[in-house]
Amino acid sequence: MKKDFRETGLDKIKQEVSQSAGWLLITSKDNSVATLLETGKRMQRLFLKVREKSIAIHPMTQILEEASTRQTLNQSIGISENIQFILRSGYLKNYPSPVSLRRPVDWFIRK
C-alpha cells in the first residue's frame, strides 16, 4: 500500500469517526460457532430495529483484526467479553435507496 493511499484512507476514517453520534459494541461470551452465530443474529436484529428510528449503523471493526489492539481496547473500556462488532451510529434524514431490490419482510415472517 503506497503512503498517499494509506494516508487518504486514514483521513477519510478520521472524518467519519468525528461525525459519529455514538458507538455500539456487540460482544460474545466466547468464540464458539453457536455463540458467534447468535451474536450475528443480534446484530441483524439491531440493524432492523434502528432503521425504524432513522438511525444508521456503520461497522468499523478493523481495530479488532489485530490481537494487540483488540486486547488494548478491551482493557481500556473494561470489557472482559469478546468484542465482535464496533458500530458507528448516527441519525439520518433519509436512508438512501438500496443498491439491489429487497424482498418484502412479510415474505420471511411466520405468524
Side-chain angles (χ1 to χ4, degrees):
M1 196 180 305
K2 292 185 179 179
K3 184 178 179 182
D4 289 345
F5 179 78
R6 185 176 56 242
E7 288 179 4
T8 301
L10 289 173
D11 288 342
K12 183 177 179 180
I13 291 169
K14 287 176 188 176
Q15 181 183 10
E16 289 174 349
V17 167
S18 68
Q19 296 172 354
S20 301
W23 295 88
L24 302 166
L25 299 177
I26 296 182
T27 63
S28 67
K29 62 181 179 181
D30 58 44
N31 286 322
S32 69
V33 172
T35 301
L36 293 177
L37 288 171
E38 182 55 38
T39 304
K41 289 178 188 178
R42 284 191 320 203
M43 188 183 85
Q44 290 300 321
R45 287 191 297 268
L46 176 66
F47 275 130
L48 293 172
K49 288 182 186 250
V50 299
R51 183 170 174 97
E52 297 169 356
K53 301 180 185 313
S54 295
I55 297 173
I57 290 183
H58 176 205
M60 296 192 79
T61 56
Q62 299 90 333
I63 193 171
L64 301 176
E65 293 176 11
E66 297 292 329
S68 61
T69 55
R70 185 174 52 243
Q71 183 178 14
T72 301
L73 175 64
N74 278 58
Q75 290 172 345
S76 68
I77 57 179
I79 291 180
S80 59
E81 291 186 329
N82 298 318
I83 300 172
Q84 300 297 342
F85 296 101
I86 301 173
L87 307 170
R88 182 172 73 98
S89 64
Y91 284 100
L92 285 176
K93 290 181 182 176
N94 297 306
Y95 272 92
S97 298
V99 176
S100 61
L101 185 61
R102 306 288 188 221
R103 294 179 181 153
V105 174
D106 293 339
W107 288 13
F108 303 97
I109 297 176
R110 293 184 184 160
K111 296 180 182 181

